[in-house]
């Protein structure tokens, strides 16, 4: 029971991170029908920018008392900003020219961008994992039989707050409505005066910002950052987005938590070395039996 | 020296592509084959044979993937999985691992069959999926297979893999320590692969693939069994990779799970993209360029840069930056590849004529 | 027995009933037309016939074989070929190759033949190529053989698509608005072509907007409106049918 609850907490924590990354995949897929393969690496970039800011602040003996809170906020803000700009930059430089190209072209481009980012991050921070500054104190809290770390609570709370904010942004704001319109029908949206290029750019900004948040909480949660983190996490998150129904925001969150739980429980039951196999088997099964995902709608083929 | 061979091979390929006369094409191809068969015996050494053998294996892999991606239009991002299956077939059945020492030549066929079988097993449930989704499922498969080999330590030696694989023999003569025999086997393999590729392209099945690639719905209306045709592409493509895997493992006398990661799949996709998907000669050129860059140019560039700037930079660190840049650059500036297939080229020339096809 | 037999066929998309209770018989050797205003369900009906959509109720059979549950490619094997309202050619392949793909079902080479380029494969390829050239001539576009489909003029593309459909040697040819976008003289040629196709023994079922063409060409006509068949008969019967006049005056096409 005790172990079960611990794994549950772990799964939720992992799931929160996957959900944040999955949202980035789903937003971009919803609007461009592109699997932004480089998204996982944007997440890695987020981890490292937060890490660099925190290391610098720690070296300046800034991280005490109120400075600690400020430092965390600053690291998070820098990660968000850096990732948003990076993601939008990739769209502007690489994907935008390929909107009318055959389907495989943008995907292959995205894979190329992903390789370049991974390599650049490796050149910047080295091939070994870098410890992430332990900024959030992590006493264990006991809630009944459940033992959770403060870090876990912070990670999950931050992720959920971000998702709620995103939900309201997409549902309520003018920009959010424009995003949904462009996702539904790009030509019609441009006919009613929506600036499609700008809307797509903003979608990439937001997806990048979410990856920034994920990068920060991922760094806190795993205690390290590694240049290849984004590859595995990205694939899991993409699986989550597909599981929930790609293009569907609530689906990406649901899928994220389900994949997080699957990973933590499969690690518990059959060992961590099988968790990849478990996750990808789920991906294949979902795509085969319910390609539209848990919350997605299936559309008839256009003739 | 290695560049000379690569240069001659690439120049000959370009010439074959440019000439319109069928006889001229055949003459150049025969001359090239003779040159590649004889040349290294006189001007070469073990190191050159080794690079050439690797290049030849990669050309075979690229030709196999070309059937899947270029002909049938199915983006397979887990092609290295079949490579791994081929390599482990040899690793497990021709090594002290189980004390089985099956002959190399039989295992070439067995590996081709096993890889084809796994291709069909993966394809049967997933080939209904469209475009990007199929790409991701194959990617997942490509991640799972090496992981399974890594986890089944009892059978596969786990993360360390299997070493001391058998040295093949040819009518009782051991290959010995030389890598030369692998080069010649791979060369024969390429000739076969080229012949099969050409046959397929001009065949009923090849036309079915073209139809599926261009418009799947219209293909169905012509009575084409889309799923079966795609399965055939998957299985045939996988079998090339399986054979390549046996050659690779036997030459290295070693298999381990980290040799077959996603990078390998992407490397082969890059070869196709660079050369021109769907075009047989283009694919050969693409794979030659990338293997030479990979196994000759980059390592040498390293020492060159170090010598001139008195540094110790490791340029093998930027392999992936280079692949990535190639993928992005080609997609943005020359999406049809260096030597596009005749369809794409005609599209670009914006005219209807095609030359008599060889 | 009729070649094509629809009994009380219904197709719904959510709350919308696109095809409602349609019963239709097309006799072997006929040129049969289906007309109706935009959105009357004509294209949906065609899509039911080739299993792009599944019908919800009723029965459809081709030469006595029910097509319920059959896939598109199985239906093609029953001898049903079609063209599309918005052409679906293989744009980056030559006209000749387009037609050769249409011959797929008429060829028998298997995967081994294809891999090894056996004598059967070569013989069939030669024969397929010869027939494809013949078909291009038959539909009146000889000489474009090596041109890429996407580079052909619109009218030529329409004919090429018909040639591709004919290559399957269909018993039932479905033409989805074959005259759309053609000029009057091209329409005259099309009329002659469709008659010639029928004379080779195929049955033709076509959807058309151009009333003049349909009245001229078809021996029997069914009229759809809001998914229902409101009339069926010979051209002269249709011309005077009150519900047809009402449908067309109420919602001019």
């Amino acid at each position: 029971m005790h172990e079960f609850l611990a794994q549950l907490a772990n799964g939720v924590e992992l799931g929160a991170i996957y959900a944040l990354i999955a949202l980035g995949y789903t937003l971009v897929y919803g609007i461009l029908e592109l699997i932004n393969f480089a998204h996982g690496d944007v997440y890695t970039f987020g981890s490292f920018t937060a890490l660099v800011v925190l290391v610098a602040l720690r070296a300046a003996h800034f991280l005490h008392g109120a400075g600690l809170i400020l430092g965390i906020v600053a690291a998070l803000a820098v990660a968000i900003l850096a990732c948003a700009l990076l993601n939008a930059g990739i769209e502007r430089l690489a994907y935008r020219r390929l909107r009318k190209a055959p389907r495989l072209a943008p995907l292959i481009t995205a894979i190329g961008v992903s390789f370049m980012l991974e390599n650049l991050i490796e050149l910047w921070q080295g091939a070994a994992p870098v410890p992430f500054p332990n900024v959030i104190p992590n006493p264990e809290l006991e809630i009944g039989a459940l033992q959770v770390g403060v870090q876990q609570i912070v990670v999950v709370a931050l992720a959920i707050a971000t998702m709620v904010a995103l939900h309201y942004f997409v549902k309520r704001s003018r920009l959010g409505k424009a995003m949904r319109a462009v996702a539904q029908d790009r030509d019609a949206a441009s006919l009613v005066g929506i600036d499609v290029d700008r809307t797509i750019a903003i979608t990439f900004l937001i997806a990048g910002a979410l990856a920034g948040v994920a990068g920060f909480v991922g760094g806190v949660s795993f205690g390290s950052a590694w240049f290849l983190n984004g590859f595995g996490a990205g694939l899991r998150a993409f699986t989550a987005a597909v599981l929930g129904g790609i293009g569907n925001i609530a689906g990406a969150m649901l899928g994220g938590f389900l994949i997080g739980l699957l990973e933590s429980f499969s690690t518990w039951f059959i060992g961590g070395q099988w968790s990849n196999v478990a996750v990808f088997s789920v991906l294949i099964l979902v795509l085969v039996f319910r390609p539209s995902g848990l919350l997605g709608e299936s559309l008839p083929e256009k003739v | 020296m290695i560049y000379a061979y690569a240069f001659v091979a690439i120049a000959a390929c370009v010439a074959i592509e440019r000439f319109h006369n069928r006889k001229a094409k055949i003459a150049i191809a025969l001359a090239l084959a003779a040159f590649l068969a004889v040349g290294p015996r006189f001007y070469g050494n073990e190191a050159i044979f080794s690079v050439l053998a690797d290049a030849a294996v990669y050309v075979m892999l690229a030709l196999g993937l070309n059937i899947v991606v270029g002909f049938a239009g199915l983006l397979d991002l887990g092609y290295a999985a079949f490579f791994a299956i081929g390599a482990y077939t040899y690793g497990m059945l021709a090594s002290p691992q189980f004390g089985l020492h099956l002959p190399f030549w039989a295992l070439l066929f067995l590996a081709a069959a096993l890889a084809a079988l796994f291709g069909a097993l993966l394809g049967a449930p997933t080939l209904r999926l469209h475009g990007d989704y199929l790409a991701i499922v194959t990617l997942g498969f490509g991640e799972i297979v090496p992981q399974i080999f890594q986890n089944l330590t009892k059978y596969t030696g786990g993360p360390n893999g299997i070493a001391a694989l058998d040295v093949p023999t040819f009518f009782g003569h051991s290959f010995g320590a030389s890598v030369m025999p692998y080069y010649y086997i791979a060369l024969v393999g390429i000739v076969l692969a080229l012949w099969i590729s050409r046959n397929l392209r001009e065949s009923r099945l090849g036309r079915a693939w073209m139809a599926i690639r261009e418009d799947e719905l219209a293909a169905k209306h012509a009575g084409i069994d889309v799923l079966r045709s795609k399965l055939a592409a998957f299985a045939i493509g996988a079998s090339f990779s399986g054979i390549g895997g046996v050659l690779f493992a036997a030459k290295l006398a070693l298999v381990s799970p980290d040799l077959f990661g996603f990078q390998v799949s992407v490397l082969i996709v890059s070869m196709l993209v660079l050369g021109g998907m769907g075009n047989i000669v283009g694919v050969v050129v693409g794979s030659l360029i990338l293997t030479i860059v990979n196994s000759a140019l980059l390592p040498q560039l390293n020492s060159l840069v170090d010598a001139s700037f008195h540094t110790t930079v490791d340029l093998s660190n930027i392999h992936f930056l280079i692949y990535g840049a190639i993928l992005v650059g080609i997609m943005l500036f020359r999406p049809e590849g260096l030597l596009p297939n005749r369809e794409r080229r005609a599209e670009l020339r914006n005219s209807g004529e095609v030359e008599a096809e060889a | 027995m009729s070649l094509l037999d629809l009994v009380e066929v219904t197709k719904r998309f959510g709350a919308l009933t696109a095809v409602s209770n349609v019963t239709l018989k097309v006799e072997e050797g006929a040129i049969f037309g289906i007309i109706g205003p935009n959105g009357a369900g004509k294209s949906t009906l065609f899509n039911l016939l080739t299993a792009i959509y599944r019908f919800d109720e009723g029965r459809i059979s081709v030469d006595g074989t029910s097509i319920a549950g059959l896939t598109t490619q199985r239906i093609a094997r029953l001898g049903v070929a079609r063209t599309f309202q918005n052409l679906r050619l293989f744009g980056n392949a030559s006209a000749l190759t387009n037609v050769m793909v249409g011959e797929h079902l008429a060829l028998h080479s298997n995967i081994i033949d294809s891999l090894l380029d056996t004598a059967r494969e070569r013989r069939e390829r030669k024969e397929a190529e010869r027939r494809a050239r013949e078909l291009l001539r038959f539909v009146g576009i000889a000489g474009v053989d090596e041109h890429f489909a996407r580079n052909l003029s619109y009218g030529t593309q329409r004919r090429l698509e018909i040639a591709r459909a004919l290559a399957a040697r269909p018993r039932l040819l479905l033409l989805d608005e074959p005259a759309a976008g053609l000029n009057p003289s091209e329409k005259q040629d099309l009329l002659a072509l469709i008659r010639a196709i029928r004379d080779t023994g195929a049955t033709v079922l076509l959807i058309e907007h151009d009333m003049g063409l349909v009245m001229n060409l078809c021996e029997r006509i069914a009229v759809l409106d809001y998914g229902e068949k409101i009339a069926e008969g010979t051209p002269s019967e249709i011309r005077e049918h009150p519900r047809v006049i009402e449908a067309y005056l109420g919602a001019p096409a």
Side-chain angles (χ1 to χ4, degrees):
Chain A
M1 186 63 192
H2 183 260
E3 177 66 15
F4 174 82
L5 287 173
Q7 291 300 342
L8 189 70
N10 266 341
V12 170
E13 184 187 7
L14 268 176
I17 300 167
Y18 293 154
L20 281 173
I21 309 175
L23 284 168
Y25 281 107
T26 241
L27 285 174
V28 167
Y29 195 92
I31 209 156
L32 278 188
E33 299 209 336
L34 163 72
I35 299 173
N36 181 12
F37 206 86
H39 191 73
D41 305 298
V42 175
Y43 152 80
T44 311
F45 183 67
S47 282
F48 275 113
T49 41
L51 181 147
V52 166
V53 170
L54 288 173
V55 168
L57 291 176
R58 188 174 56 190
H61 302 289
F62 189 78
L63 298 177
H64 304 289
L68 179 64
I69 307 281
L70 271 177
I72 290 171
V73 171
L76 183 61
V78 171
I80 290 174
L81 198 67
C83 288
L85 290 176
L86 174 64
N87 209 31
I90 295 170
E91 190 274 328
R92 182 70 193 80
L93 293 176
Y95 305 152
R96 185 171 296 184
R97 303 174 50 140
L98 295 169
R99 291 229 187 110
K100 296 215 155 51
R103 280 291 285 278
L104 294 187
L107 181 63
I108 291 173
T109 307
I111 292 170
V113 172
S114 162
F115 270 37
M116 292 171 74
L117 284 180
E118 281 168 13
N119 209 154
L120 288 172
I121 293 172
E122 184 192 356
L123 290 174
W124 177 37
Q125 289 286 331
V130 181
F132 196 88
N134 198 359
V135 284
I136 298 177
N138 196 19
E140 296 270 314
L141 298 183
E142 296 220 14
I143 308 167
L146 178 65
Q147 247 182 2
V148 289
V150 169
Q151 253 181 28
Q152 287 182 314
I153 296 175
V154 172
V155 164
V156 174
L158 199 54
I160 289 179
T162 308
M163 292 186 242
V164 170
L166 176 74
H167 177 79
Y168 279 101
F169 173 81
V170 172
K171 278 264 139 67
R172 298 286 164 78
S173 76
R174 241 179 96 86
L175 270 173
K177 285 176 186 160
M179 276 166 61
R180 283 189 292 156
V182 174
Q184 241 167 37
D185 187 335
R186 212 181 295 165
D187 295 332
S190 92
L191 281 178
V192 298
I194 294 173
D195 183 339
V196 172
D197 277 347
R198 190 164 153 262
T199 310
I200 291 175
I202 287 167
T203 307
F204 273 83
L205 275 175
I206 294 169
L210 293 167
V213 179
F216 176 82
V217 295
V220 168
S221 167
F222 301 131
S224 71
W226 184 43
F227 78 106
L228 277 181
N229 265 349
F231 179 67
L235 280 178
R236 285 174 161 73
F238 178 77
T239 304
V242 171
L243 177 61
I246 195 146
N248 183 316
I249 290 179
M253 300 186 209
L254 174 67
F257 284 109
L258 287 177
I259 292 292
L261 290 168
L262 173 71
E263 184 175 340
S264 100
F265 280 102
S266 66
T267 303
W268 183 29
F269 287 121
I270 53 178
Q273 75 272 28
W274 289 106
S275 72
N276 258 341
V277 178
V279 169
F280 289 121
S281 303
V282 165
L283 173 69
I284 293 175
L285 291 175
V286 172
L287 282 175
V288 171
F289 292 107
R290 200 176 157 80
S292 54
L294 296 175
L295 303 182
E297 296 160 29
S298 60
L299 297 168
E301 202 169 351
K302 282 177 197 163
V303 181
Chain B
M1 182 67 75
I2 189 73
Y3 301 111
Y5 288 114
F7 178 78
V8 170
I10 291 168
C13 286
V14 173
I16 290 173
E17 200 57 18
R18 288 281 173 271
F19 275 103
H20 289 198
N21 180 324
R22 198 189 149 120
K23 279 189 184 138
K25 286 179 186 228
I26 293 173
I28 298 171
L30 287 175
L32 175 64
F35 172 74
L36 288 178
V38 177
R41 296 298 288 267
F42 297 101
Y43 301 98
N45 51 39
E46 275 294 299
I48 282 182
F49 271 116
S50 179
V51 174
L52 286 177
D54 287 346
V57 169
Y58 273 112
V59 170
M60 266 185 73
L61 293 183
L63 285 171
L65 186 61
N66 184 47
I67 291 172
V68 182
V69 184
F71 288 0
L74 307 163
L75 184 53
D76 180 351
L77 291 179
Y79 191 60
F82 304 114
F83 192 41
I85 288 169
Y88 270 90
T89 303
Y90 191 72
M92 289 162 75
L93 300 180
S95 72
Q97 183 71 16
F98 297 110
L100 288 170
H101 298 280
L102 301 186
F104 171 79
W105 303 98
L107 288 176
L108 278 180
F109 289 98
L110 181 66
L114 275 178
L117 176 71
F118 276 96
L121 283 180
L122 169 69
T126 57
L127 282 171
R128 260 173 253 277
L129 299 169
H130 286 267
D132 298 353
Y133 281 116
L134 180 70
I136 295 297
V137 167
T138 52
L139 199 170
F141 181 72
E143 290 295 297
I144 289 178
V145 167
Q147 187 114 50
I148 289 176
F149 283 129
Q150 178 166 335
N151 291 345
L152 296 176
T153 309
K154 231 160 92 188
Y155 310 100
T156 62
N160 299 325
I162 305 169
L165 308 188
D166 295 354
V167 177
T169 56
F170 183 63
F171 290 114
H173 299 284
S174 170
F175 283 18
S178 170
V179 295
M180 197 171 67
Y182 302 104
Y183 169 63
Y184 285 107
I185 297 170
L187 220 49
V188 173
I190 290 178
V191 171
L192 281 174
L194 285 170
W195 181 65
I196 287 177
S197 294
R198 190 216 70 112
N199 289 350
L200 287 171
R201 191 190 56 193
E202 304 298 327
S203 73
R204 175 177 186 243
L205 184 58
R207 289 191 294 275
W209 286 334
M210 180 283 293
I212 292 168
R213 194 179 71 219
E214 286 273 318
D215 189 331
E216 192 167 320
L217 192 82
K220 280 183 192 163
H221 278 85
I224 291 169
D225 191 332
V226 170
L227 204 61
R228 266 182 65 167
S229 307
K230 287 181 176 179
L231 269 181
F234 244 54
I236 296 171
S239 68
F240 282 38
S241 192
I243 292 175
V246 173
L247 279 174
F248 180 81
K251 174 173 176 269
L252 208 60
L254 173 89
V255 281
S256 76
D258 55 335
L259 297 170
F260 308 102
F262 179 59
Q263 311 87 288
V264 178
S265 297
V266 170
L267 174 62
I268 303 167
V269 171
S270 313
M271 292 170 175
L272 262 58
V273 168
L274 178 66
M277 270 185 225
N279 184 29
I280 299 168
V281 179
V283 166
V284 173
V285 170
S287 34
L288 282 176
I289 294 178
L290 277 192
T291 333
I292 297 304
V293 167
N294 214 0
S295 45
L297 185 64
L298 283 178
Q300 289 181 8
L301 204 63
N302 238 5
S303 42
L304 200 72
V305 170
D306 286 354
S308 25
F309 300 102
H310 305 287
T311 53
T312 50
V313 288
D314 188 4
L315 282 171
S316 58
N317 272 344
I318 60 164
H319 277 191
F320 290 106
L321 192 61
I322 293 172
Y323 295 146
I326 288 174
L327 288 178
V328 175
I330 291 272
M331 280 298 138
L332 289 181
F333 301 110
R334 201 176 160 85
E336 72 281 7
L338 295 178
L339 286 180
N341 65 10
R342 53 199 171 125
E343 282 93 4
R344 299 267 174 92
R345 197 169 49 200
E347 196 177 318
L348 291 172
R349 283 188 310 192
N350 215 7
S351 70
E353 79 239 303
V354 228
E355 65 275 1
E357 192 44 43
Chain C
M1 191 184 356
S2 331
L3 182 62
L4 177 67
D5 204 347
L6 280 77
V7 182
E8 293 169 3
V9 172
T10 296
K11 172 67 190 174
R12 295 186 199 88
F13 294 110
L16 172 81
T17 306
V19 173
S20 172
N21 215 22
V22 169
T23 296
L24 207 64
K25 280 184 197 312
V26 178
E27 300 303 328
E28 181 121 41
I31 300 180
F32 196 110
I34 298 177
I35 58 172
N38 268 326
K42 304 185 299 290
S43 279
T44 306
L45 191 69
F46 261 31
N47 289 339
L48 295 178
L49 293 180
T50 61
I52 291 175
Y53 303 138
R54 303 248 174 244
F55 47 97
D56 298 313
E57 288 163 29
R59 274 179 289 136
I60 302 180
S61 51
V62 175
D63 199 20
T65 309
S66 164
I67 65 162
L70 294 190
T71 58
T72 300
Q73 60 228 35
R74 292 287 307 155
I75 293 169
R77 277 172 191 275
L78 294 176
V80 180
R82 75 173 284 182
T83 64
F84 299 88
Q85 190 178 338
N86 311 307
L87 300 161
R88 300 192 77 129
L89 289 164
F90 309 121
N92 295 313
S94 69
L96 196 69
T97 309
N98 268 273
V99 182
M100 284 170 78
V101 169
E103 291 179 79
H104 187 82
L105 287 177
L107 306 181
H108 303 97
S109 78
N110 58 28
I111 181 169
I112 302 293
D113 294 315
S114 289
L115 273 169
L116 304 179
D117 200 28
T118 58
R120 170 156 76 166
E121 178 77 49
R122 283 194 302 254
R123 190 183 62 236
E124 283 198 346
R125 175 162 63 235
K126 235 171 141 182
E127 172 60 19
E129 207 177 304
R130 194 191 56 74
R131 260 202 85 221
R133 290 191 201 279
E134 210 174 273
L135 277 165
L136 288 174
R137 203 170 327 123
F138 178 73
V139 300
I141 51 173
V144 301
D145 312 23
E146 309 297 338
H147 291 242
F148 282 79
R150 56 174 15 230
N151 294 333
L152 299 173
S153 74
Y154 186 77
T156 310
Q157 290 194 3
R158 282 236 168 260
R159 283 160 175 275
L160 177 57
E161 213 190 20
I162 293 175
R164 184 179 71 188
L166 287 175
R169 307 174 204 251
R171 302 186 59 195
L172 176 64
L173 177 65
L174 309 176
L175 300 174
D176 197 344
E177 300 205 16
L182 300 187
N183 64 37
S185 99
E186 287 175 326
K187 279 184 187 173
Q188 277 311 309
D189 295 345
L190 180 72
L191 215 79
L193 175 60
I194 294 175
R195 289 202 176 110
I197 290 170
R198 193 266 306 271
D199 291 342
T200 66
T203 306
V204 179
L205 174 62
L206 61 95
I207 294 175
E208 196 39 75
H209 259 150
D210 186 322
M211 287 286 267
L213 187 113
V214 176
M215 293 294 173
N216 228 322
L217 180 64
C218 301
E219 289 123 14
R220 260 190 111 64
I221 296 168
V223 187
L224 291 189
D225 193 21
Y226 293 108
E228 288 180 48
K229 186 175 89 173
I230 56 171
E232 188 187 326
T234 61
S236 51
E237 285 166 2
I238 292 299
R239 223 177 310 238
E240 279 149 26
H241 199 290
R243 286 201 61 188
V244 178
I245 296 165
E246 184 193 332
Y248 270 84
L249 289 179

